[in-house]
Amino acid sequence: MKLLPIGSKQIAFVSYDDQSSQMHIQYHTGQTLTCSGIKPEQYQSLLQSPNRYDMIMKLTTEQSFLPPRIQ
């Protein structure tokens, strides 16, 4: 998994696991939110987006979440 920096005050980076179709959102607080059901083409749209934060918000309102992991 590659880390994708977001450049936001809340979100440090995201990573994507294409085997499980899960996107992991890493917050600056250390909390990780796992969003399931993210299709590869949706993640690709995030990669190409000029505003990654807004795209993450759009994707996460459409998907289901797994409980947050505290690291």
Side-chain angles (χ1 to χ4, degrees):
M1 273 189 281
K2 291 186 177 180
L3 302 179
L4 177 65
I6 299 304
S8 142
K9 290 180 182 179
Q10 294 90 9
I11 301 173
F13 59 85
V14 299
S15 59
Y16 180 69
D17 182 348
D18 58 348
Q19 298 297 316
S20 63
S21 297
Q22 292 181 337
M23 181 171 65
H24 307 277
I25 303 170
Q26 179 71 43
Y27 291 89
H28 287 290
T29 62
Q31 184 178 22
T32 301
L33 180 66
T34 300
C35 188
S36 61
I38 302 290
K39 298 174 186 170
E41 56 270 14
Q42 291 174 304
Y43 185 70
Q44 189 64 34
S45 68
L46 174 63
L47 292 174
Q48 297 171 351
S49 175
N51 189 332
R52 291 178 175 165
Y53 180 82
D54 284 350
M55 181 59 74
I56 290 170
M57 294 302 104
K58 181 177 186 268
L59 290 173
T60 57
T61 58
E62 299 169 353
Q63 304 303 322
S64 61
F65 297 98
L66 296 177
R69 282 187 332 205
I70 308 236
Q71 297 182 4

